[in-house]
Amino acid sequence: MTLNDAAQEQNRLARQINLLGGVTTMVLAVATTAILWLKNRQLYIREASLSQSNQRLAASQKASQDLFYLTAHELKNALQNLMLSSSMTLQRAKGTGASKAAERVCRHVEKMSVLIQAILLEAAIASESFTLDLGELDLAQLIAEIVTDYQELAQIKEQQLDFTADTPCPITADGGKIHIAIENLISNAIKFSPLQSTITIRLKRFPDHVVVEVIDPGQGFTTEEKGRLFSRFPKLAARPTGGELSTGLGLSLTQALVASHGGTVDAESPGKGCGSRFWIQLPRVPNPGRSPETT
């Protein structure tokens, strides 16, 4: 083999080596792409499976929620009919031996009705069906009506409701929902205060907001308990002083309803057995940026 032939053979081998290197690089690139595709495919399958599982879970939860709403609404309607019937029975039973039994039926039906209403409102707040029906109202007049409604209940426990207000007190709010929020505070004060006590309700008007205070000489709460006051079904030491029903949802609902208007609710107490002060602060015009929240 001549030197020329050897050079040509070397060049041919070099071209084959380069070609083999290129093919090897291409094969590695295709293999890497295939591996990545397979991994992505596996990830996609897992994500699709997880998504389907989540969709099935969401569908199951929605079905359960719908069934709950339907059942609660049916119970509400049934309780309203039962309330009407028991009230008529109580009227007919007055002066007879059955009057006490009729009174007990009315009392228990009313307690169940309150509980169902609280559950339905709690469910509405947690869903997209919760909306505000805003309008102009006089908050002083609204609170005066609540106080009047609760005078009879307070008198049963020989309690006094002392209401003072800066009048008039116009605000823009959902009157029905603010009614519930303030009513819960007054109802709780009556419920947890001792017999023959005085509950103070104050309404203070400021240029851009209002403050509603409910001050009671009741059982109070500790610093540790304050952290649970506005949660659902809190475990607290205080107990109703007249055997009343306590749903465990009142303060949680109040906080959510007030927050939906861009307001705040808070409380303070010197300690157990030393009474408490609850207050609601509301803007004169609600802040639409805030949304209902429950803890």
Side-chain angles (χ1 to χ4, degrees):
M1 178 180 292
T2 64
L3 288 174
N4 188 38
D5 292 337
Q8 290 179 351
E9 180 66 17
Q10 187 176 0
N11 289 335
R12 186 178 64 80
L13 289 173
R15 286 196 300 272
Q16 288 178 343
I17 291 171
N18 288 336
L19 180 61
L20 181 60
V23 171
T24 302
T25 301
M26 185 179 297
V27 169
L28 286 173
V30 171
T32 301
T33 302
I35 291 171
L36 289 174
W37 183 85
L38 286 172
K39 287 184 176 180
N40 288 335
R41 176 64 179 171
Q42 290 173 345
L43 181 61
Y44 172 79
I45 292 172
R46 285 198 298 269
E47 288 180 346
S49 177
L50 182 60
S51 176
Q52 290 173 357
S53 297
N54 288 339
Q55 289 175 0
R56 287 195 295 269
L57 179 60
S60 176
Q61 288 177 332
K62 187 177 186 307
S64 297
Q65 187 180 55
D66 291 343
L67 178 60
F68 167 78
Y69 291 160
L70 178 62
T71 303
H73 276 289
E74 290 301 316
L75 279 173
K76 175 187 169 186
N77 294 334
L79 283 169
Q80 287 176 339
N81 292 331
L82 186 56
M83 177 72 79
L84 178 60
S85 299
S86 59
S87 296
M88 294 173 62
T89 301
L90 178 60
Q91 291 295 325
R92 290 195 296 267
K94 281 186 176 180
T96 70
S99 62
K100 289 186 177 180
E103 287 176 2
R104 283 196 299 272
V105 170
C106 284
R107 192 161 54 248
H108 287 302
V109 170
E110 185 176 3
K111 287 181 179 181
M112 288 303 300
S113 181
V114 169
L115 180 59
I116 291 296
Q117 292 280 11
I119 290 173
L120 283 173
L121 183 55
E122 177 81 3
I125 289 174
S127 71
E128 297 179 354
S129 63
F130 183 85
T131 58
L132 294 177
D133 183 14
L134 299 176
E136 297 289 332
L137 61 92
D138 184 348
L139 188 59
Q141 181 179 345
L142 184 145
I143 297 175
E145 292 171 357
I146 297 173
V147 171
T148 299
D149 290 341
Y150 275 84
Q151 284 288 2
E152 184 177 350
L153 181 59
Q155 288 171 3
I156 293 174
K157 301 178 73 171
E158 300 181 62
Q159 297 168 335
Q160 299 292 323
L161 300 182
D162 181 17
F163 174 49
T164 58
D166 294 337
T167 57
C169 191
I171 66 169
T172 299
D174 184 322
K177 293 180 176 64
I178 292 302
H179 186 288
I180 293 172
I182 296 173
E183 181 181 55
N184 281 341
L185 296 190
I186 295 175
S187 172
N188 277 356
I190 294 172
K191 191 180 300 180
F192 293 101
S193 292
L195 304 179
Q196 301 178 337
S197 59
T198 298
I199 296 159
T200 302
I201 302 132
R202 296 174 183 159
L203 171 60
K204 299 178 181 179
R205 183 186 64 234
F206 298 92
D208 61 349
H209 70 278
V210 297
V211 175
V212 182
E213 297 178 317
V214 178
I215 304 167
D216 69 75
Q219 300 165 56
F221 51 85
T222 65
T223 302
E224 189 271 334
E225 286 179 321
K226 182 180 177 180
R228 303 193 303 271
L229 276 179
F230 298 98
S231 61
R232 299 184 187 97
F233 311 111
K235 293 183 179 179
L236 305 173
R239 293 291 180 268
T241 55
E244 299 97 329
L245 173 70
S246 179
T247 65
L249 291 172
L251 291 179
S252 173
L253 289 175
T254 293
Q255 184 181 58
L257 294 171
V258 171
S260 72
H261 288 74
T264 58
V265 57
D266 208 343
E268 63 182 7
S269 172
K272 192 174 291 187
C274 299
S276 58
R277 170 178 170 261
F278 285 79
W279 68 92
I280 291 172
Q281 180 171 312
L282 286 169
R284 299 285 291 273
V285 176
N287 179 356
R290 294 287 295 274
S291 61
E293 297 177 354
T294 55
T295 58

